[in-house]
Amino acid sequence: MNKLIILLKQLNIIEECHILLHTNLEKVVVHKDNSYDFYIKSQSFIPFEEYKLLNDHKEGFPYPVRFHIQYENIDFVHQNLSMYIGLIIENLKKESLYFSTLELTDIEIGEKIRIKALNEIQLEQFIQQKNIITEQFLHFGIDLDVEFYIDENNDDYLSLIDEMENIKPVEIDLSQIKKEESTTFHYEVKNQRFQGNRFKKDDARKYQLNEITSQTIDNNAIIEGYIFKTDLIKTRKGTHIQTLWVTDYTDSIMVKRFENKTNNSIEDIKVLDKGKVWIKASGEIRADNFAKETVLMARQIEVIKAPEERKDNAEVKRVELHTHSKMSAMDGIGNVSDYINQAAKWGHKAIAVTDHGNVQSFPEAQTASLKAGIKMIYGVELNMIEPYFDIVFNEKDMSIEHATYVSFDLETTGFSVVHDGITEFGAVKIRNGEVVERLQSFINPGKQIGARVVELTNIRNDMVANAPTIAEFMPKILDFFQDAILVAHNAKFDIGFLNENLKRMGKKPLENPVIDSLALARAVMKPMKSYRLGAICRVYRVNYEDDVAHRADYDAEVLASVFITMLHSIMQMGHYNLLDLNTLQKDDAYKIVYPYHMTALALNKEGLKNMFKIVSEANTTYFHDASRIPKERLEYYHKGLLYGTSCYKSDVFEAAMNQSDERLEKLLKFYDYVEIQPLDDYYHLIDRGQIENQDDLIDSIKRLINTAKKLNKIIVATGDVHFLNKRDKIYRDVFISQPKIGIGHRAHPLCDRKNPRAFTPYQYLRTTDEMLKCYHYLPEDEVYQYVVTNTNMIADMVEEIRPIHDKLFTPTIDNADENLKRICYETAHKMYGEKLPQIVEKRLEKELSNIIKHGFGVIYYISHLLVKKSNDDGYLVGSRGSVGSSFVATMAGITEVNPLPPHYLCLHCGHSEFLKEGVIADGYDLEDKICPVCGKLMKGE
């Protein structure tokens, strides 16, 4: 039976087929991926409708399948192939953009397949893709030769020829080529002189390449850029078209020019054939139908000097104390050696490397810094945590069973107790598990509510316009609280706002016990991705409507319901006293708490050793998604290290933006120096709505500076450098914009999932002058102190350190060499007798003298002690590799392998017989032999 009939039945299309019923299934190919290729052979032309029917029902086959058609002696001239050709064109367009202009009328089928091209460029492209085109036709059984041609009567072709014939010659000024070590190109043009013409300004507009869009059309444009790629196409008529890919590091563009009948010869074109120089080009910016993008059709090109590299012209140079190399995985871009070489070239006396949670760049940094003659400051940026849940504040010795609670929530204009105001207060009073009283009011914040906050809370400016201020409403809040236990979700935020306003009113802060339900949830609930109120409600099956959420009264009511349930669970665990709640800690709390960034710089060898210990613990004991280290461990290892406040992700910068002066001062006491960075490094906080405007941002930085001054902390300006040059930002943006790349299984901290093109900072290595210009909001003398004086002061505090030693530093054990020598000779005499054979004595003496001379004696002695201890405890130790070639290792009991030539050894009297070389390869293969001295059986060694 025809197997194709079986297939048609399986696909439930046999009744709709006619020609296919008379075809044969020639062969079936099964691939490793379990996909099938069916080859159908037919003597009659298969109408497209039947092929489409077959292809549309291929899902009825249990595996992926493709159908190939083969014909015998078919005359395609008289067949209706239009639908097949349409499908072939559709497939070709998926294969390559070269086929994007191909239409049904461009293909003719007779004795051959003839395909029409628009011009010489497209003709060359089609010829290059001939194999792909042939395969597509063969797939449908059309086995004919393919040829290509140009319709010389089409309008596009005629206009192109006209342009090529009449284009003005390209003139190049070679005298302007910059001679550089790395990018110099020497052009030798025989029998040809080029005279450069200055560009006529007239109405020509000079474009930066990122200003050119798909909509840009300009007949008189000028661009400058670096040629990073070239292409030269020879047309069928023998003329040439050159394409130059040019970038100015803001964007790139194709520049095209044509060989013509005037003096723009092939020699002229080939002058720039290798690229790698800067050019200035003028011409027409327009959409190119063939390249399918905007290009510059050049009328004039001039080779120019490359832009001058940045220089640091300051008399006294700054020192960069915060730099990330590519060892800051998925974040840093440059090699540490590139930073070092650039800093040395600028005349900086030192530079620090501070990669995320690792010291992997130190070997490269040491080599590069020694070669460049610059001091290397070795540092690391760490994720600092406090693995402790602050569940109760103002705790008291009291029962939680019959206490009165007030569950409350605030809505605000933002996160900062300094810059923002309260817009709504909502609270419910709970006694014996029931809500007994409620309090709600809008509050006039004294400032406009931003659009983002309105969208989140649905509280508009008109709703609070006539509401009481917080000062007017505070007495009602205090009266409602009385001496109740307060409950809030993320209580630090809500209590912080109330206490800050009480402070402004000249009143003392709240003394009520406060339970933070967020910390409590983290302590008593199973691990969750999020402990937001909505997520906790779902666990406890409390109704939570997202549409109504983020309103103070609603959130306070919902929180009350959740807290009552949590309270019952806690009491069932046997905890009835408020003091018990802070004991509800977890051993793995370090996995849950939020990490903050901080930097550590090694002052000396002791500090470097402590840094290594910190990094080791952070990447082992406390590792979770990324390296983490508790604050108490940092305090333990503080000796020899300087601790800095790092970037915007530090606890002190968050406090400077959002928390009270007291909190900021308390946090800052831990650090040795304070980092302030260019506004550009922080600007994304405004862009993402974390801080309202630049004025508030500057106020926050000034708060940090003033508090640091109060505590006599060193203030330094750092760049939080992630790439070498400004133009390198695009590479880091790739990491930032893709959430699936991320850092530590999370999206990059700067990633905006809703907007992949959101603002990201220019965190490049700045010169002294560039850095001095970044702090316009501070007095000049202060800026100089932070940028230059203090960074150099820290550099001077750091000793010259070499993490990678260039000599062997073996451990020290008293009398190790003497003990090793004694052990070896004792063993040798025990095995080979009182008088050692000459071969044994010479080998032992030669090895021992070299081992001890080069400082390896203690290593062998330690190995001896380790193996002896293991053997004495009943554990066999096997050795292999190079240790088997050492006779000292054998005599010291480190290995059982004897490297001496094959010989007989009597273990009773010490008699030995060494065989001549080549008699036998291995002493273990020696036949049994009786000792001629004592008559005992000898051992082969």
Side-chain angles (χ1 to χ4, degrees):
M1 184 177 180
N2 187 344
K3 293 181 180 178
L4 185 61
I5 301 298
I6 300 173
L7 177 62
L8 297 176
K9 286 181 178 179
Q10 184 177 348
L11 300 181
N12 293 320
I13 59 172
I14 191 166
E15 294 181 0
E16 301 173 60
C17 296
H18 301 288
I19 301 298
L20 283 174
L21 297 177
H22 305 289
T23 60
N24 294 314
L25 189 59
E26 189 72 10
K27 67 176 179 178
V28 178
V29 178
V30 183
H31 300 281
K32 290 182 179 180
D33 61 355
N34 287 329
S35 64
Y36 284 64
D37 280 334
F38 289 97
Y39 290 82
I40 301 169
K41 196 164 190 178
S42 176
Q43 294 183 352
S44 302
F45 180 72
I46 301 172
F48 182 77
E49 292 75 13
E50 289 198 28
Y51 170 80
K52 187 174 184 299
L53 184 69
L54 182 66
N55 198 58
D56 289 348
H57 287 78
K58 64 183 180 182
E59 300 298 330
F61 194 75
Y63 299 101
V65 61
R66 291 183 69 202
F67 299 106
H68 304 265
I69 300 174
Q70 297 174 338
Y71 290 115
E72 291 183 2
N73 302 320
I74 291 290
D75 181 7
F76 292 106
V77 176
H78 299 97
Q79 306 298 336
N80 183 7
L81 296 172
S82 59
M83 299 299 289
Y84 278 110
I85 295 173
L87 183 56
I88 289 170
I89 292 174
E90 186 178 324
N91 292 339
L92 287 173
K93 288 181 178 179
K94 293 177 182 177
E95 288 281 348
S96 173
L97 288 174
Y98 292 148
F99 305 112
S100 58
T101 62
L102 199 60
E103 297 178 357
L104 193 63
T105 54
D106 295 332
I107 299 177
E108 301 173 7
I109 296 183
E111 294 181 0
K112 294 182 178 181
I113 301 169
R114 300 187 75 237
I115 301 178
K116 180 172 62 179
L118 291 173
N119 50 57
E120 299 282 358
I121 298 175
Q122 193 176 58
L123 180 67
E124 295 297 324
Q125 293 170 344
F126 282 177
I127 291 171
Q128 292 173 11
Q129 303 293 319
K130 184 175 180 178
N131 288 341
I132 294 175
I133 296 171
T134 303
E135 286 177 9
Q136 282 292 334
F137 279 96
L138 276 175
H139 177 74
F140 297 100
I142 307 173
D143 186 7
L144 298 173
D145 288 338
V146 179
E147 68 177 21
F148 310 98
Y149 71 99
I150 295 176
D151 178 9
E152 298 185 356
N153 294 317
N154 79 75
D155 294 337
D156 287 335
Y157 181 74
L158 292 175
S159 64
L160 177 63
I161 293 298
D162 182 63
E163 181 175 8
M164 291 175 63
E165 296 297 334
N166 296 291
I167 195 166
K168 295 179 181 179
V170 176
E171 300 181 358
I172 301 171
D173 183 1
L174 291 181
S175 66
Q176 298 301 316
I177 297 178
K178 182 180 179 183
K179 296 181 179 179
E180 297 179 274
E181 291 182 6
S182 59
T183 60
T184 300
F185 246 89
H186 300 284
Y187 293 95
E188 296 182 4
V189 185
K190 296 181 180 179
N191 303 320
Q192 182 69 46
R193 295 181 63 190
F194 292 88
Q195 293 182 346
N197 294 333
R198 292 189 176 274
F199 283 81
K200 294 181 180 179
K201 293 185 179 179
D202 296 337
D203 297 326
R205 175 185 171 185
K206 186 176 180 181
Y207 285 86
Q208 194 167 276
L209 293 186
N210 63 353
E211 297 173 343
I212 300 173
T213 69
S214 59
Q215 308 300 317
T216 305
I217 299 175
D218 192 335
N219 190 46
N220 196 9
I222 296 174
I223 63 129
E224 291 182 1
Y226 176 77
I227 303 173
F228 62 90
K229 180 182 175 183
T230 67
D231 190 26
L232 188 65
I233 294 176
K234 185 176 182 181
T235 66
R236 191 179 64 171
K237 290 192 173 184
T239 58
H240 293 79
I241 303 171
Q242 185 179 49
T243 303
L244 307 174
W245 278 263
V246 177
T247 182
D248 64 357
Y249 298 106
T250 66
D251 207 334
S252 299
I253 194 171
M254 285 195 295
V255 176
K256 287 190 175 184
R257 58 176 179 165
F258 305 95
E259 180 185 2
N260 54 41
K261 292 181 179 180
T262 57
N263 64 348
N264 194 24
S265 65
I266 184 60
E267 287 78 13
D268 301 332
I269 286 179
K270 286 188 174 180
V271 167
L272 292 179
D273 199 35
K274 293 183 179 179
K276 300 188 183 301
V277 292
W278 279 79
I279 63 167
K280 186 175 187 180
S282 70
E284 180 184 1
I285 296 174
R286 71 183 192 194
D288 184 14
N289 293 330
F290 317 121
K292 296 300 175 185
E293 60 180 277
T294 301
V295 303
L296 177 76
M297 293 295 183
R299 287 192 291 267
Q300 187 173 344
I301 294 178
E302 178 185 352
V303 177
I304 62 174
K305 290 183 179 181
E308 284 193 12
E309 293 184 357
R310 290 185 297 141
K311 295 179 180 178
D312 195 329
N313 297 316
E315 185 176 347
V316 182
K317 313 292 196 293
R318 65 181 284 258
V319 174
E320 181 56 68
L321 298 176
H322 193 148
T323 309
H324 292 275
S325 77
K326 64 182 181 182
M327 293 304 174
S328 290
M330 302 302 173
D331 195 25
I333 299 299
N335 293 312
V336 67
S337 54
D338 294 336
Y339 295 126
I340 292 167
N341 293 334
Q342 184 65 79
K345 190 174 181 180
W346 284 343
H348 294 197
K349 68 181 180 183
I351 188 172
V353 60
T354 53
D355 283 319
H356 289 304
N358 72 80
V359 294
Q360 290 176 294
S361 63
F362 285 13
E364 182 186 348
Q366 177 176 307
T367 303
S369 62
L370 290 173
K371 186 176 180 180
I374 188 173
K375 180 188 280 189
M376 194 67 224
I377 302 172
Y378 297 96
V380 64
E381 186 171 47
L382 299 161
N383 290 316
M384 180 181 70
I385 55 172
E386 293 191 67
Y388 180 83
F389 300 127
D390 290 319
I391 300 172
V392 182
F393 308 99
N394 303 334
E395 57 183 351
K396 295 179 181 178
D397 184 1
M398 60 183 294
S399 171
I400 62 174
E401 187 174 9
H402 301 294
T404 299
Y405 300 92
V406 172
S407 168
F408 78 99
D409 184 48
L410 306 177
E411 298 303 330
T412 64
T413 60
F415 300 110
S416 176
V417 301
V418 180
H419 305 121
D420 292 302
I422 299 170
T423 58
E424 184 185 17
F425 175 88
V428 295
K429 188 172 289 186
I430 309 164
R431 190 176 294 121
N432 297 324
E434 294 183 359
V435 175
V436 296
E437 193 176 352
R438 291 177 174 83
L439 179 65
Q440 186 275 337
S441 177
F442 289 119
I443 306 292
N444 189 327
K447 63 180 296 185
Q448 289 291 305
I449 305 174
R452 290 176 189 240
V453 177
V454 171
E455 184 180 354
L456 179 67
T457 64
N458 290 318
I459 300 175
R460 304 183 307 275
N461 285 291
D462 62 295
M463 297 167 69
V464 299
N466 298 317
T469 64
I470 187 61
E472 294 168 342
F473 194 72
M474 186 66 79
K476 290 185 178 180
I477 294 175
L478 298 178
D479 184 59
F480 190 80
F481 283 170
Q482 294 185 350
D483 59 354
I485 300 174
L486 308 181
V487 181
H489 205 64
N490 191 16
K492 289 180 181 178
F493 175 84
D494 300 276
I495 294 297
F497 262 93
L498 292 180
N499 281 338
E500 184 66 22
N501 280 281
L502 286 168
K503 178 182 173 183
R504 292 172 188 170
M505 295 166 62
K507 297 181 179 294
K508 61 182 181 180
L510 293 168
E511 295 178 351
N512 301 60
V514 180
I515 297 176
D516 187 348
S517 58
L518 175 61
L520 183 62
R522 287 172 169 168
V524 301
M525 296 178 69
K526 293 180 180 180
M528 298 167 59
K529 287 185 178 180
S530 169
Y531 291 88
R532 292 181 178 179
L533 185 55
I536 296 172
C537 286
R538 283 189 285 274
V539 173
Y540 286 109
R541 298 182 180 179
V542 173
N543 185 44
Y544 186 82
E545 297 179 21
D546 290 310
D547 294 337
V548 190
H550 300 295
R551 286 294 301 270
D553 55 342
Y554 179 81
D555 284 356
E557 189 92 31
V558 170
L559 177 58
S561 301
V562 169
F563 178 71
I564 292 170
T565 308
M566 294 174 74
L567 202 60
H568 285 305
S569 300
I570 292 166
M571 289 189 289
Q572 287 175 357
M573 295 162 57
H575 301 291
Y576 289 90
N577 194 291
L578 187 63
L579 298 176
D580 294 342
L581 299 191
N582 270 336
T583 66
L584 299 174
Q585 303 294 325
K586 286 182 176 179
D587 292 336
D588 62 350
Y590 68 89
K591 297 180 180 179
I592 302 172
V593 294
Y594 186 81
Y596 290 99
H597 285 194
M598 60 83 61
T599 44
L601 303 179
L603 291 172
N604 47 42
K605 288 183 179 179
E606 184 178 10
L608 186 69
K609 185 176 181 179
N610 282 335
M611 182 183 293
F612 289 162
K613 290 179 179 179
I614 290 170
V615 171
S616 296
E617 288 188 20
N619 284 280
T620 53
T621 307
Y622 302 104
F623 186 90
H624 180 69
D625 290 335
S627 59
R628 296 171 171 229
I629 191 71
K631 191 173 185 177
E632 62 179 2
R633 301 304 294 163
L634 290 170
E635 290 171 337
Y636 181 78
Y637 289 122
H638 198 163
K639 193 172 182 181
L641 293 170
L642 281 180
Y643 289 160
T645 58
S646 189
C647 58
Y648 75 97
K649 287 182 68 65
S650 69
D651 55 353
V652 294
F653 193 79
E654 181 180 302
M657 286 196 301
N658 300 328
Q659 298 172 12
S660 65
D661 292 338
E662 294 76 17
R663 175 67 176 167
L664 175 58
E665 190 172 324
K666 179 182 177 182
L667 292 172
L668 202 52
K669 288 178 180 178
F670 171 74
Y671 298 95
D672 300 304
Y673 67 96
V674 174
E675 298 183 47
I676 58 170
Q677 286 147 6
L679 283 181
D680 192 76
D681 286 18
Y682 304 116
Y683 193 81
H684 66 280
L685 299 172
I686 302 172
D687 189 56
R688 317 284 169 86
Q690 292 176 261
I691 195 166
E692 188 169 345
N693 52 51
Q694 183 171 296
D695 290 339
D696 287 353
L697 175 59
I698 291 173
D699 285 345
S700 299
I701 298 173
K702 287 182 176 180
R703 283 189 72 208
L704 180 58
I705 292 171
N706 292 334
T707 308
K709 286 179 180 178
K710 181 179 178 181
L711 298 176
N712 294 317
K713 301 293 182 182
I714 303 172
I715 304 169
V716 294
T718 65
D720 193 10
V721 175
H722 284 75
F723 38 89
L724 184 60
N725 294 302
K726 197 171 184 178
R727 64 173 181 250
D728 298 331
K729 173 178 173 289
I730 189 172
Y731 306 121
R732 185 176 182 233
D733 284 348
V734 174
F735 292 150
I736 293 172
S737 63
Q738 295 297 323
K740 291 184 179 179
I741 296 178
I743 301 174
H745 307 293
R746 296 176 183 272
H748 192 285
L750 292 172
C751 176
D752 186 340
R753 293 176 182 270
K754 296 179 181 178
N755 180 15
R757 296 184 179 274
F759 172 85
T760 55
Y762 282 94
Q763 293 172 282
Y764 63 100
L765 183 62
R766 289 173 166 88
T767 65
T768 305
D769 289 336
E770 286 175 331
M771 201 67 167
L772 288 169
K773 293 175 183 176
C774 292
Y775 302 92
H776 60 86
Y777 52 90
L778 296 174
E780 286 187 11
D781 57 335
E782 275 192 46
V783 175
Y784 188 85
Q785 181 184 0
Y786 305 152
V787 172
V788 180
T789 307
N790 290 356
T791 57
N792 279 274
M793 176 171 49
I794 287 183
D796 292 338
M797 294 166 64
V798 176
E799 298 177 7
E800 292 281 356
I801 310 170
R802 294 192 181 183
I804 311 301
H805 299 298
D806 55 357
K807 297 179 181 178
L808 181 67
F809 290 86
T810 54
T812 301
I813 299 179
D814 293 339
N815 303 317
D817 294 341
E818 293 79 2
N819 289 338
L820 176 66
K821 194 169 184 178
R822 175 181 55 77
I823 291 166
C824 288
Y825 274 102
E826 285 179 358
T827 305
H829 285 299
K830 184 178 178 181
M831 291 177 62
Y832 292 98
E834 194 62 34
K835 182 172 176 57
L836 296 178
Q838 188 176 16
I839 189 173
V840 173
E841 189 168 19
K842 283 186 175 180
R843 177 69 175 265
L844 193 57
E845 183 59 34
K846 181 180 179 181
E847 283 195 24
L848 276 171
S849 62
N850 279 295
I851 289 169
I852 292 171
K853 176 182 175 182
H854 293 96
F856 289 101
V858 67
I859 305 297
Y860 273 80
Y861 184 58
I862 290 172
S863 300
H864 157 77
L865 295 175
L866 288 171
V867 174
K868 184 177 184 302
K869 169 65 175 172
S870 297
N871 289 336
D872 290 346
D873 290 345
Y875 299 98
L876 296 179
V877 179
S879 302
R880 60 193 180 99
S882 59
V883 71
S885 65
S886 170
F887 188 53
V888 169
T890 309
M891 295 299 97
I894 299 169
T895 179
E896 295 179 355
V897 178
N898 193 323
L900 295 178
H903 59 279
Y904 284 105
L905 177 62
C906 181
L907 300 179
H908 297 276
C909 66
H911 174 71
S912 60
E913 296 178 9
F914 285 83
L915 305 181
K916 291 182 179 180
E917 186 177 351
V919 173
I920 196 168
D922 196 325
Y924 291 105
D925 295 331
L926 289 173
E927 296 180 0
D928 292 345
K929 185 175 181 179
I930 301 299
C931 177
V933 177
C934 66
K936 302 289 186 179
L937 187 66
M938 292 196 293
K939 177 187 177 183
E941 283 280 7

